[in-house]
Amino acid sequence: MAQPTDEDRRDSADEPLMASDNSSNDEREDSPSIELPGQTRAPMHKAGKVIWLLTLSAGISGLLFGYDTGVISSTLVSIGSDLSGHDLTTTDKSLITAVTSLFALLSAPLTGVFADKYGRRSVLLLASILFVLGAIIQAAAGIVSIMVVGRAAVGAAVGLASCATPLYITELAPAEMRGRLVTIQSLFVTGGQVVAYLVGWTFAGQLHGWRWMVGLGAFPAMLQLFLLAFMFESPRWLVQIGREGRARHVLRRIYGGLTEDEQKRTVDSVVLDIQTEIAAEAKLDDDEPQFGNTRSSFLTTARQLFEIPGNRRALTIACMLQATQQLCGFNSLMYFSATIFSLLGFTNPITTSLSVALTNFIFTIAAFAFIDTLGRRRILLFSIPIMMLALGWCSWVFYNMKGLAPGAKQPKVSFIQDDRSRWPQSLLGAMLIYVAAYAIGLGCVPWQQSELFPLRVRSLGSGISTATNWSSNFVIGITFLPMMEFLSPSVTFAVYAFVCLLDWVAILKIYPETAGLELEGIGGLLKDGWGVEKSLEGFRERKDLQARQAREHSKSHGVWALFRRR
């Protein structure tokens, strides 16, 4: 394993203020890795304050992600003639909107390269800087082209954050609560979208209020920049670059809620597993032709990702879930819900659209509560059929609303006002059920992508699957309204239901259960196959073990234990 250089020790990039202790870096760097007989990891019954601080600090990127992608809807209708001295043309609106997704698509795959070379925390730092710059440029823009530049900076930040945040949290979180902690990003994203709607509603009627809408995004980003000074680097990346002592110090802080003996056993076990995985990857390097002058070259990593069967299976699952997250049509509701509800005759479509965003946020909280206890796979297999039924009902409602036939851009007013006016309310109900099921499953589970990949290819694999998400997002954005107009809304929603059906079948066949499994053990599931049956058996065993440990913990620390001691 590579030894740290003097330059490594002087580098303060991964030496946050909160990480200081009484031992020197050199002493920590030289601490040996010892495998103890019968060594096991102690379970974490609850997250400590260090884990919460790190997760919430990283999660601010999700808040910015949701806010900046959501606020543009209100911004476009409030700009008026403030840019370039004329009302925005269709081309202007398209550029301002599309450039964000375009630059997110371009920056997402680069996250893997930057995260491997400079660390996960450094990518979050770059994203925060771009969020601040983008917000300031937008707020100060006087012409359309400057506004486009600001939206491009925000897009690049969104692409980096959407990949780096779940990657960072995945590598920090204890296995028992990894799903919940990664889901915090989705919770922040949906919360950011709700905040964007509320801010848009607050400033919509004010002179130059749109500048406040876009400019306020700088404040959470500046808060994150401050918090980054107190955040640790990923211990798995530290071990990968040869800084084992520093990684041990980070792990001791993460597992600070355990007893001294439990903490030592757990830290030793985690480091040993990481080193074992790195050694296995190094052996693969010895068997492969090298590109350039270094084993850590991008081409070698890419070759391992695509040519090693287990890595290829992980990439297939991650890209499948990320593509379905968009191709199921959800973001068509987020982007065009006001347009849909306007066509249906709702008098206040923006307020109705807010109900969609609130439903998404509330049921993401439900996902946070259950993703580790029920498991990723079970949640998807349960929630996707509900989405299919809701989409099927939407299709049936649109079929009965003859005013929305192919090519019809406006409903017949007489239809909205006759005795069948129950259809629009029925459609709204079906959409809210669809959004609730989406938030619990596909809205969160695909972002668990980083756990599927071994350490060597984790950053690159996460970057490619995130780029798949943004590519699919782009496809939905440019096809939804044409499909609604030329195929009919009924057929459009039926297509989305069919996509959900295909994904449900694929999940049933190839997606193993990873809840509660240590990162270094997931690769073994996919090494010789999809590992579905093996993963389900292991999940049941882990649940039984956790139940026994919880009972023992309760006996040792509960009210009954206090009573006995008295």
Side-chain angles (χ1 to χ4, degrees):
M1 179 172 298
Q3 295 298 317
T5 63
D6 292 338
E7 183 178 357
D8 286 334
R9 295 191 176 98
R10 290 194 302 269
D11 185 9
S12 62
D14 62 344
E15 303 287 343
L17 299 178
M18 70 182 292
S20 61
D21 62 8
N22 295 327
S23 60
S24 68
N25 284 341
D26 289 350
E27 291 172 344
R28 293 196 301 269
E29 292 292 345
D30 295 334
S31 59
S33 173
I34 303 174
E35 182 179 2
L36 302 177
Q39 181 176 334
T40 58
R41 304 186 190 189
M44 290 285 288
H45 297 286
K46 63 178 182 179
K49 63 180 182 180
V50 171
I51 297 175
W52 281 116
L53 175 62
L54 294 171
T55 302
L56 295 176
S57 299
I60 293 176
S61 294
L63 176 68
L64 292 164
F65 175 0
Y67 183 84
D68 281 307
T69 54
V71 78
I72 192 62
S73 177
S74 301
T75 302
L76 290 177
V77 299
S78 304
I79 287 177
S81 59
D82 287 352
L83 294 178
S84 301
H86 59 76
D87 290 339
L88 295 179
T89 64
T90 300
T91 301
D92 293 336
K93 292 180 180 180
S94 298
L95 281 173
I96 292 172
T97 304
V99 73
T100 303
S101 297
L102 175 61
F103 273 76
L105 172 60
L106 295 175
S107 65
L110 296 177
T111 304
V113 179
F114 294 148
D116 276 340
K117 187 171 184 179
Y118 301 109
R120 285 53 164 148
R121 195 166 63 108
S122 298
V123 178
L124 292 176
L125 174 66
L126 177 59
S128 295
I129 293 173
L130 288 173
F131 274 124
V132 173
L133 290 176
I136 293 174
I137 292 171
Q138 289 177 87
I143 57 177
V144 171
S145 59
I146 298 299
M147 185 68 174
V148 170
V149 171
R151 293 299 298 174
V154 166
V158 166
L160 293 172
S162 61
C163 179
T165 302
L167 171 64
Y168 177 78
I169 298 174
T170 293
E171 293 192 340
L172 281 170
E176 297 85 357
M177 55 193 69
R178 186 173 61 240
R180 280 174 287 164
L181 295 179
V182 174
T183 300
I184 285 180
Q185 186 211 18
S186 299
L187 193 61
F188 270 67
V189 171
T190 56
Q193 291 169 342
V194 172
V195 171
Y197 275 105
L198 294 176
V199 169
W201 177 77
T202 301
F203 289 99
Q206 299 187 19
L207 182 64
H208 306 308
W210 67 272
R211 296 189 186 275
W212 284 100
M213 295 179 198
V214 295
L216 286 174
F219 291 98
M222 288 188 287
L223 173 62
Q224 188 179 46
L225 280 174
F226 170 75
L227 292 175
L228 278 166
F230 299 89
M231 291 169 64
F232 298 119
E233 183 52 88
S234 160
R236 286 171 167 83
W237 181 76
L238 290 171
V239 174
Q240 187 179 32
I241 65 169
R243 305 197 67 181
E244 178 193 327
R246 182 65 196 160
R248 287 177 174 275
H249 175 67
V250 174
L251 289 168
R252 285 196 294 269
R253 297 299 297 270
I254 291 174
Y255 292 98
L258 302 175
T259 66
E260 183 176 350
D261 179 64
E262 290 175 334
Q263 183 188 90
K264 185 178 188 307
R265 287 190 292 110
T266 300
V267 170
D268 284 342
S269 178
V270 172
V271 172
L272 179 64
D273 284 351
I274 299 172
Q275 291 175 332
T276 301
E277 184 178 56
I278 291 174
E281 292 169 348
K283 186 177 185 303
L284 289 174
D285 280 354
D286 292 336
D287 297 335
E288 295 289 337
Q290 300 301 316
F291 298 90
N293 298 321
T294 175
R295 291 176 180 269
S296 61
S297 69
F298 171 78
L299 290 177
T300 300
T301 303
R303 181 167 182 172
Q304 286 193 0
L305 177 62
F306 287 100
E307 293 189 359
I308 295 176
N311 295 345
R312 193 166 58 244
R313 293 186 189 100
L315 185 63
T316 299
I317 294 171
C319 289
M320 174 196 70
L321 293 177
Q322 288 287 18
T324 307
Q325 187 188 73
Q326 299 299 327
L327 297 179
C328 70
F330 173 77
N331 274 332
S332 63
L333 295 184
M334 296 305 296
Y335 294 157
F336 303 111
S337 56
T339 302
I340 295 172
F341 294 133
S342 294
L343 292 177
L344 296 175
F346 284 93
T347 56
N348 195 339
I350 295 179
T351 302
T352 309
S353 299
L354 180 59
S355 67
V356 174
L358 284 172
T359 300
N360 190 26
F361 176 71
I362 291 170
F363 281 87
T364 301
I365 297 176
F368 171 81
F370 297 114
I371 193 167
D372 282 320
T373 55
L374 293 180
R376 289 83 154 124
R377 174 186 165 88
R378 184 181 297 179
I379 284 179
L380 288 177
L381 292 177
F382 169 77
S383 61
I384 291 177
I386 297 176
M387 292 173 58
M388 291 164 54
L389 291 174
L391 288 169
W393 182 249
C394 289
S395 177
W396 174 251
V397 170
F398 276 122
Y399 178 78
N400 285 276
M401 298 178 71
K402 304 301 182 182
L404 285 175
K409 297 183 180 181
Q410 294 292 339
K412 295 178 180 178
V413 177
S414 60
F415 176 83
I416 296 297
Q417 294 176 344
D418 69 12
D419 60 356
R420 288 174 290 179
S421 60
R422 66 184 182 276
W423 289 116
Q425 286 73 27
S426 177
L427 181 68
L428 174 60
M431 285 185 174
L432 293 181
I433 292 173
Y434 165 78
V435 170
Y438 174 91
I440 291 174
L442 279 174
C444 296
V445 175
W447 294 113
Q448 308 293 325
Q449 60 188 12
S450 298
E451 68 183 11
L452 296 168
F453 299 99
L455 179 60
R456 173 65 178 272
V457 299
R458 185 171 294 143
S459 294
L460 182 59
S462 299
I464 292 175
S465 51
T466 302
T468 302
N469 181 292
W470 285 105
S471 301
S472 303
N473 181 301
F474 180 75
V475 170
I476 284 293
I478 64 173
T479 61
F480 175 69
L481 290 180
M483 287 174 66
M484 289 277 285
E485 181 176 350
F486 296 109
L487 296 180
S488 82
S490 179
V491 173
T492 299
F493 280 81
V495 169
Y496 294 153
F498 182 68
V499 170
C500 290
L501 174 61
L502 294 179
D503 186 60
W504 188 87
V505 173
I507 290 169
L508 186 66
K509 297 292 186 181
I510 70 172
Y511 186 33
E513 183 54 71
T514 58
L517 185 61
E518 294 291 345
L519 285 180
E520 289 70 36
I522 295 175
L525 290 176
L526 299 172
K527 182 178 180 181
D528 299 316
W530 298 106
V532 173
E533 293 299 325
K534 181 180 178 182
S535 73
L536 294 177
E537 180 181 351
F539 179 67
R540 287 190 292 268
E541 292 176 353
R542 290 192 297 275
K543 295 301 293 182
D544 291 342
L545 177 61
Q546 289 172 9
R548 292 196 301 270
Q549 290 172 335
R551 287 194 296 269
E552 294 172 359
H553 183 268
S554 178
K555 291 179 181 178
S556 302
H557 300 84
V559 176
W560 175 246
L562 292 175
F563 177 76
R564 286 188 302 173
R565 284 195 291 269
R566 286 179 179 274

